[in-house]
Amino acid sequence: MARISDPLVVGRVIGDVIDNFSPTVKMSVIYNSNKQVYNGHEFLPSMVTSKPRVDVLGGDMRSFFTLIMTDPDVPGPSDPFLKEHLHWMATDIPGTTDSSFGKEVVSYEKPRPNIGIHRLVFLLFKQQRRQAVNTPPPALRDGFSTRKFAEENELGLPVAAVFFNCQRETAARRR
């Protein structure tokens, strides 16, 4: 059972995007080579324009992972009728490397929140074997379901997750 103080529970990632799980692998997400993502921290859209480095820590040479980056708050958190919006997907990431060694299935799309504060969620799933993900990439990024995708590809629950908050930058905030 997830603790109430768990940031993934407080941030409603567990519930809105995925079911309760116990992390078994460490994952670090770093933008611009020095801005690490921590649960609930805020990043401005200008800070996340290019894809981050995602390191998988705790796997081995026989492990392969699928990485999903999704936004469950599209078009806005008060009425997210387009949820989820898929921002990035990579598969076949070896367990001792970073995401650049995997197969990019859906190219990275920078967050562009228009209304409210959006959660950008990174989820890491352990594959049963290499090339285990058979579902073709979605035709549209909107309406993606991490749960459905994981089920269709027999990925089970995530082994790691982290999220950040992002909102539209105003001219005054860009300084």
Side-chain angles (χ1 to χ4, degrees):
M1 182 72 180
R3 297 182 321 247
I4 299 302
S5 61
D6 182 335
L8 295 172
V9 173
V10 174
R12 295 183 341 271
V13 170
I14 291 178
D16 288 355
V17 181
I18 52 172
D19 296 324
N20 190 24
F21 74 101
S22 294
T24 56
V25 171
K26 290 194 183 288
M27 170 179 65
S28 69
V29 179
I30 301 169
Y31 278 96
N32 303 320
S33 72
N34 65 352
K35 303 265 189 242
Q36 183 159 351
V37 174
Y38 294 101
N39 284 321
H41 285 205
E42 182 174 351
F43 282 77
L44 300 173
S46 60
M47 298 165 70
V48 294
T49 58
S50 56
K51 72 180 164 186
R53 177 184 170 103
V54 179
D55 291 317
V56 177
L57 311 163
D60 58 43
M61 293 300 286
R62 296 178 308 274
S63 302
F64 293 93
F65 296 89
T66 292
L67 173 71
I68 293 173
M69 178 186 175
T70 185
D71 178 348
D73 300 318
V74 175
S78 62
D79 186 19
F81 63 89
L82 294 175
K83 72 174 171 184
E84 299 167 32
H85 183 86
L86 180 63
H87 279 271
W88 189 29
M89 183 187 298
T91 64
D92 296 329
I93 301 167
T96 55
T97 61
D98 65 78
S99 57
S100 67
F101 289 92
K103 176 184 170 191
E104 190 172 63
V105 177
V106 176
S107 63
Y108 181 82
E109 180 183 81
K110 68 181 179 181
R112 286 186 225 111
N114 285 323
I115 304 165
I117 299 170
H118 289 238
R119 297 164 291 165
L120 280 297
V121 183
F122 293 89
L123 300 148
L124 190 69
F125 293 89
K126 186 173 183 180
Q127 298 174 197
Q128 293 183 5
R129 65 192 177 290
R130 188 178 191 141
Q131 299 178 340
V133 176
N134 298 317
T135 306
L140 299 172
R141 291 178 185 250
D142 288 332
F144 181 77
S145 170
T146 299
R147 281 186 181 97
K148 183 178 176 190
F149 180 84
E151 184 180 309
E152 289 172 350
N153 289 281
E154 299 176 353
L155 295 173
L157 292 170
V159 295
V162 67
F163 79 101
F164 68 89
N165 294 315
C166 190
Q167 63 183 309
R168 183 177 176 182
E169 290 181 70
T170 61
R173 292 187 68 186
R174 290 186 190 157
R175 287 188 226 154

